[in-house]
Amino acid sequence: MRTPVIAGNWKLFKTIGEAIGLVKDLKPLVAGTKGVEIIVAPVFTALGRVADELAGSNILLAAQDCYWEEEGAFTGEVAPGMLKDAGCSHVIIGHSERRQYFGETDVTVNKKVKAAINAGLTAIVCVGETLAEREADKTFAIIETQLWGGLEGLAPEAFSKVVVAYEPVWAIGTGKTASDTQAQEVHAFIRSLIARCFSQESAAGLRILYGGSVKPDNIKELMAQPDIDGALVGGASLNSASFAAITNFAG
Ligand code: PEP
């Protein structure tokens, strides 16, 4: 009942030309993929051109961040409505790299999520614990704080425009994937938390993605878990063949 989502986060990689080349290669490889929402998230400067290239395909477009104001004297920022204007349907919010290097907090995540939804975008909200937090048995507490802080004040209906990505920080770009059991445990916890804090319906329909060194050879096992509804993929999304193999996990 929950359509799986496979989203590629290209981070700070690919010029406009390279981004277009990647989607040109990707389109035929995923054209036959049914029942999976496929998303790519290039850098801001490539969004408009990639949107043109994606027109008529089964690949959706996301930005990697946004600001929470619609317009104004906020040099360097990009508003959710402007992302929509550029062709985006989704925006990644609260990625651990933004939390780690750019001062993103649960408060700013919350403002961005609300602004994104108001602009008609779907927010892919990232949460995840560091290795030190996991080793100190704080995983659930951290996830609860980040989720509660990031989603506070949302109406249950808003959850149709929210996707949560559980990305253990220690698994991002490290080649270390959380085991299926570790990931499932946190995903089930996230779903139960949403049921408790918002509504049973919001929780049942919520897509919860796993992120952290997802590759063609581990996606199948992850997707076999009952509460894992897809993946947010970094490194392996930069190559059309490996990203297509991940989107074709069921084949
Ligand atoms: C990410 O960037 O969200 C990510 C999960 O990266 P990687 O797949 O490279 O670990």
Side-chain angles (χ1 to χ4, degrees):
M1 121 194 158
R2 296 187 293 266
T3 304
V5 178
I6 303 289
N9 172 17
W10 294 357
K11 311 193 188 204
L12 187 54
F13 291 102
K14 308 282 178 196
T15 60
I16 295 172
E18 289 165 346
I20 290 174
L22 178 49
V23 291
K24 270 192 201 293
D25 291 344
L26 183 62
K27 282 194 295 183
L29 298 179
V30 301
T33 306
K34 303 270 179 278
V36 179
E37 239 171 71
I38 303 171
I39 304 170
V40 294
V43 296
F44 285 127
T45 50
L47 287 173
R49 298 279 297 280
V50 169
D52 293 343
E53 190 58 45
L54 292 179
S57 78
N58 59 341
I59 306 171
L60 300 168
L61 186 66
Q64 298 175 17
D65 187 28
C66 67
Y67 193 53
W68 56 81
E69 296 288 349
E70 282 173 33
E71 60 180 14
F74 304 105
T75 302
E77 295 296 334
V78 181
M82 293 165 180
L83 297 177
K84 184 115 175 116
D85 183 46
C88 293
S89 52
H90 291 70
V91 57
I92 299 169
I93 297 176
H95 191 280
S96 66
E97 286 151 16
R98 297 222 56 88
R99 294 177 189 262
Q100 192 179 346
Y101 305 125
F102 304 103
E104 188 85 271
T105 65
D106 296 333
V107 171
T108 57
V109 167
N110 188 246
K111 290 182 181 191
K112 291 178 179 186
V113 169
K114 287 176 178 162
I117 295 172
N118 280 339
L121 295 170
T122 295
I124 302 175
V125 185
C126 303
V127 296
E129 81 287 0
T130 62
L131 186 58
E133 288 161 348
R134 175 162 281 266
E135 287 175 348
D137 269 335
K138 289 186 180 155
T139 299
F140 294 129
I142 294 293
I143 299 299
E144 180 158 354
T145 304
Q146 291 180 346
L147 266 186
W148 184 237
L151 303 179
E152 193 183 356
L154 288 194
E157 314 79 74
F159 277 82
S160 61
K161 296 296 242 176
V162 173
V163 170
V164 169
Y166 166 57
E167 300 204 299
V169 178
W170 48 272
I172 297 178
T174 58
K176 281 188 209 155
T177 320
S179 70
D180 310 340
T181 321
Q182 282 173 323
Q184 165 58 26
E185 193 183 30
V186 179
H187 282 232
F189 173 74
I190 291 172
R191 203 175 303 285
S192 68
L193 193 68
I194 299 298
R196 182 154 46 87
C197 300
F198 296 92
S199 77
Q200 189 62 47
E201 215 188 349
S202 309
L206 180 68
R207 270 88 56 85
I208 308 175
L209 316 185
Y210 168 77
S213 299
V214 172
K215 304 273 180 300
D217 61 6
N218 58 23
I219 184 68
K220 214 177 171 75
E221 290 72 28
L222 289 162
M223 290 304 291
Q225 301 300 314
D227 288 293
I228 299 183
D229 306 309
L232 182 53
V233 186
S237 71
L238 295 171
N239 172 282
S240 58
S242 62
F243 189 60
I246 293 170
T247 67
N248 290 323
F249 63 88

